[in-house]
Amino acid sequence: MAEQATDRLVRMLGILTYVERHGDTPFSELAEHFGVSVAQVRSDINALWVASEPGDSWLPIDFSADAFDQDIASLVRNDGVTQVRLSPREAVALVGALSTMRGAGALPDAGTHLLEKLREALSEPVTVVGDDHVGAEIREPLVEAIDRYRRVEIEYVDAMDRRSTRVVDPHRLVVIDGHAYLECFCRRAQDYRVLRLDRIASATVLDGAIEHPPTDSAGFSLTPAFRATVTVGRSGRYAVEDMPGVVIEDADDAVVATFDVVDAAFVAGRLLAVAPHLRAVAPRRLADALERQAKAVLDVQR
Amino acid sequence: MAVEKAQRLLNLIIGLSSTRHRLTRDQIRDTIEGYEPLPYGADDEERRKAEASFERMFERDKKELRELGVPIETIEDPVHGDEIGYRIRPAEAAMPALDLTAAELAVVSIATDYWRGAVLGGDARQTVMKLASSAEHGPRVELPFAALPAVANDAFGALVEAVADRQSVRFEYSSVSSGAGTRTIDPWRVVLRAGIAYVIGFDRDREEPRTFRIQRIGGKVRPVGDPGAYAIPKDIPLGALAESGDVATARVALRPESGHALRRRGTPVGAENGWELYDVDYAHGDALVAEVLALAGGARIVRPATLADAVVKAATAALEVERG
């Protein structure tokens, strides 16, 4: 497939700006830096070279012909042509993603410096609020263990409020929908797991090396047990919006949501919060779990 | 041979940046290499065809450059009647010098993954390329970090552009409190909170600032009126999205070995009849009530009474729900 014209334009301007900043540069280095072949670099430089100002034969960009013959880009003259700035979309996307990663607790150190540079240059294109309060005392041992291929012992509180101590082979930190997770192999479960960073209470690097390599297919592999159908008034819509595989249909002043359920007790806990707006819950299994939890709450709260 | 499109776009940028005042469409067609000047001695029919073909080409080029981030200004000149001219201010179009390290460039790639598809689409590689021009060359840095694409729809990108252009928009919105309907707003700012995108703007029909969750916008976001139509206030009210300054303290009672998240945030203040007591600061009562409900009897609220009542009310309502 032919390359998009704007892709090529951005790369040509990139090459020009890079050479202007770094001085004479071999084509091979440019090819590596911009991820294209040497032949493509040569063609891009030729295109820059013949760029013209309107109406006359003035060429604003000139390279040394001798250096060109030796596969080196050597700029003789550049009359003010530079890489173009980030578009509003790009600025928001970049600063938004970096700030979200930081709020989630999974921004590499280099990212912090990058974010500072971008914010200075772009005058704050987006507002990002929220913070999972993942401290350095959790993040740093995890990153160290990943870098050194060491096991790590963590104390973890799951979504059902169960506390456990486990030894895992850590692989990487991933940000998904605003929260950070540790991808790892859990020795207790003898399987790949994705653990939320803000539920890790402590992390200690161990001496032993990891034994299980990362896997591409792991991650969110929890198998749903069944699909639920819940009717809830509009005011309770938010509680079902983020359920896995959710489909929401509007019905007068309510919505009907169908979604995957991995753990009925966990979903029942979420539904309790919007119980005053709940109209119907199916299947029976989920309705039973909801009733059980509601009774347990009333036993202690009344 | 026809001049390649990337070359033509480059010539257009150079032409519009180097003009002292502005270039009219005719000047662009006749002087910028890559466009076809009117054929010499053309008759009316040929002239119309050539005009139409140039218009299409130039409109597309202008749109693509604007999407790329190149600010092409439209300039009307009273002296020359109603003919429109164009120019680019070089200082506004240029990428600021960021001097990125190889590691920082690696983080750019991870961050663009977060929006791949919905917001940046294929442009993600252009974003990386733009920043690569001001990055040092070094061995590729592998970082044990990643970001998976966030849930975002086309509305996100359209709203970001509307904010940048200060142009009103209209869209279909499904609201929690008042159902579905058409909204017309002056968008002020896009806000992200825990991975969820919102837009804050002035609701023209309700005549007050409102916050909209972008995920709840259905269909297209359509521009209304001209760019630059309103001013964005300096202090934008974040409303419920703010990390609330109004923090109150609740006392919760926890069963041993339960409520770990509350324990981490709270301060222990003693024990009573097998319950451990903690004082927990909260900004949103609903969130604390939801947390206690989810613990299914592992926790109860001692005070304030309003929150304790909310817990009872929700649990009681749950027993009334129709069971499928």
Side-chain angles (χ1 to χ4, degrees):
Chain A
M1 199 189 83
E3 183 181 32
Q4 263 189 41
T6 47
D7 281 357
R8 180 163 189 223
L9 174 65
V10 167
R11 187 180 58 242
M12 281 160 49
L13 293 171
I15 289 173
L16 179 67
T17 303
Y18 186 90
V19 174
E20 186 161 42
R21 205 160 286 177
H22 292 80
D24 296 2
T25 311
F27 291 176
S28 57
E29 182 179 321
L30 291 169
E32 203 181 307
H33 192 72
F34 289 96
V36 290
S37 67
V38 166
Q40 184 64 57
V41 169
R42 198 175 287 125
S43 156
D44 286 347
I45 288 180
N46 260 318
L48 285 165
W49 211 338
V50 298
S52 59
E53 265 184 36
D56 53 35
S57 54
W58 170 249
L59 301 179
I61 302 163
D62 190 17
F63 290 93
S64 150
D66 287 345
F68 184 88
D69 289 340
Q70 298 165 48
D71 280 356
I72 292 168
S74 174
L75 200 55
V76 175
R77 175 181 67 238
N78 175 19
D79 196 11
V81 185
T82 61
Q83 180 59 278
V84 299
R85 69 174 192 190
L86 295 175
S87 70
R89 255 176 214 244
E90 289 174 320
V92 169
L94 206 51
V95 173
L98 292 169
S99 309
T100 301
M101 289 166 74
R102 192 179 58 182
L107 185 65
D109 289 342
T112 309
H113 302 140
L114 172 63
L115 192 53
E116 277 166 21
K117 288 179 185 177
L118 287 173
R119 282 194 159 146
E120 203 169 302
L122 301 171
S123 65
E124 210 62 39
V126 60
T127 302
V128 181
V129 291
D131 191 335
D132 281 347
H133 301 287
V134 175
E137 77 282 2
I138 303 296
R139 196 171 70 92
E140 278 168 11
L142 292 178
V143 172
E144 185 199 331
I146 293 168
D147 283 345
R148 294 174 50 216
Y149 302 100
R150 290 289 180 271
R151 289 180 221 164
V152 56
E153 182 180 86
I154 60 175
E155 278 182 283
Y156 189 69
V157 179
D158 71 11
M160 303 293 302
D161 199 41
R162 291 175 297 232
R163 192 188 181 92
S164 59
T165 302
R166 27 178 125 186
V167 175
V168 302
D169 291 355
H171 300 136
R172 60 176 191 168
L173 303 181
V174 187
V175 175
I176 303 162
D177 281 350
H179 299 290
Y181 299 80
L182 171 68
E183 281 183 351
C184 60
F185 183 89
C186 175
R187 289 169 171 253
R188 202 180 61 168
Q190 279 300 304
D191 200 359
Y192 291 92
R193 285 285 185 264
V194 177
L195 306 175
R196 234 177 105 150
L197 241 56
D198 62 350
R199 297 215 183 97
I200 296 177
S202 73
T204 315
V205 184
L206 302 178
D207 284 334
I210 69 166
E211 286 165 2
H212 299 269
T215 161
D216 284 340
S217 59
F220 290 80
S221 58
L222 295 174
T223 329
F226 58 89
R227 213 161 157 79
T229 306
V230 168
T231 309
V232 57
R234 285 193 182 280
S235 312
R237 180 191 167 112
Y238 71 89
V240 291
E241 268 176 343
D242 304 326
M243 294 291 189
V246 71
V247 177
I248 296 184
E249 281 174 36
D250 290 281
D252 297 328
D253 60 340
V255 295
V256 179
T258 52
F259 52 86
D260 294 330
V261 177
V262 177
D263 187 327
F266 171 69
V267 172
R270 294 265 303 257
L271 292 180
L272 261 183
V274 288
H277 309 291
L278 273 184
R279 311 254 171 101
V281 173
R284 193 92 203 176
R285 245 171 108 178
L286 182 57
D288 286 347
L290 182 65
E291 183 185 303
R292 244 190 337 267
Q293 292 207 29
K295 285 181 171 161
V297 168
L298 289 175
D299 280 348
V300 303
Q301 185 69 67
R302 252 205 282 253
Chain B
M1 197 189 88
V3 173
E4 219 206 293
K5 185 169 172 189
Q7 182 90 63
R8 181 177 76 233
L9 293 175
L10 177 60
N11 289 340
L12 182 58
I13 292 178
I14 292 172
L16 292 179
S17 305
S18 61
T19 179
R20 262 189 306 263
H21 179 41
R22 60 175 205 158
L23 291 182
T24 64
R25 286 175 177 242
D26 285 349
Q27 288 168 330
I28 289 166
R29 185 191 56 213
D30 294 339
T31 64
I32 291 186
E33 209 185 319
Y35 296 104
E36 295 292 326
L38 277 188
Y40 184 71
D43 61 27
D44 283 358
E45 178 64 20
E46 286 167 331
R47 187 176 269 275
R48 252 198 311 279
K49 267 193 186 157
E51 289 276 7
S53 135
F54 165 75
E55 286 293 319
R56 274 197 306 275
M57 194 185 243
F58 176 64
E59 284 303 319
R60 211 165 38 228
D61 288 353
K62 188 154 60 78
K63 180 165 175 282
E64 286 185 21
L65 285 183
R66 278 183 173 153
E67 280 172 3
L68 202 59
V70 181
I72 298 179
E73 265 181 82
T74 304
I75 297 173
E76 287 170 53
D77 185 344
V79 180
H80 295 92
D82 52 5
E83 204 186 0
I84 296 172
Y86 302 92
R87 88 165 151 193
I88 296 168
R89 290 179 202 267
E92 284 175 23
M95 169 74 87
L98 291 168
D99 296 320
L100 303 184
T101 65
E104 286 165 358
L105 188 59
V107 180
V108 170
S109 298
I110 296 172
T112 54
D113 280 343
Y114 191 75
W115 300 109
R116 201 173 287 264
V119 179
L120 285 177
D123 300 348
R125 64 178 176 272
Q126 287 181 358
T127 315
V128 177
M129 199 71 81
K130 282 182 186 175
L131 291 167
S133 4
S134 56
E136 66 175 17
H137 184 62
R140 194 170 292 279
V141 178
E142 295 286 349
L143 293 167
F145 290 86
L148 296 192
V151 182
N153 52 19
D154 294 341
F156 187 100
L159 286 166
V160 165
E161 276 164 14
V163 170
D165 293 343
R166 289 182 289 120
Q167 187 168 24
S168 309
V169 290
R170 185 168 294 152
F171 51 77
E172 297 297 318
Y173 188 70
S174 160
S175 154
V176 162
S177 50
S178 54
T182 304
R183 305 299 186 93
T184 307
I185 69 164
D186 300 342
W188 288 345
R189 194 145 183 85
V190 169
V191 178
L192 296 170
R193 181 168 185 254
I196 297 168
Y198 303 84
V199 63
I200 298 177
F202 187 79
D203 189 318
R204 298 257 218 102
D205 301 315
R206 284 154 188 82
E207 297 192 331
E208 60 181 13
R210 288 283 170 102
T211 302
F212 303 88
R213 184 164 163 165
I214 294 178
Q215 225 182 326
R216 293 200 187 119
I217 294 175
K220 271 207 167 332
V221 172
R222 289 181 303 276
V224 179
D226 294 325
Y230 55 89
I232 296 176
K234 238 186 152 66
D235 293 310
I236 295 168
L238 284 179
L241 295 180
E243 303 273 84
S244 177
D246 304 331
V247 174
T249 304
R251 178 157 297 175
V252 295
L254 304 173
R255 291 283 191 211
E257 277 308 299
S258 77
H260 298 292
L262 290 168
R263 285 167 198 270
R264 269 176 63 194
R265 299 206 311 271
T267 318
V269 288
E272 198 178 85
N273 304 327
W275 292 90
E276 292 159 10
L277 302 177
Y278 281 80
D279 280 352
V280 180
D281 290 341
Y282 67 95
H284 302 288
D286 291 351
L288 185 63
V289 167
E291 222 174 331
V292 167
L293 283 165
L295 289 168
R300 70 186 161 85
I301 290 176
V302 179
R303 62 169 179 258
T306 47
L307 296 191
D309 291 346
V311 170
V312 172
K313 186 178 163 224
T316 308
L319 298 176
E320 314 278 305
V321 172
E322 185 186 320
R323 300 152 62 88

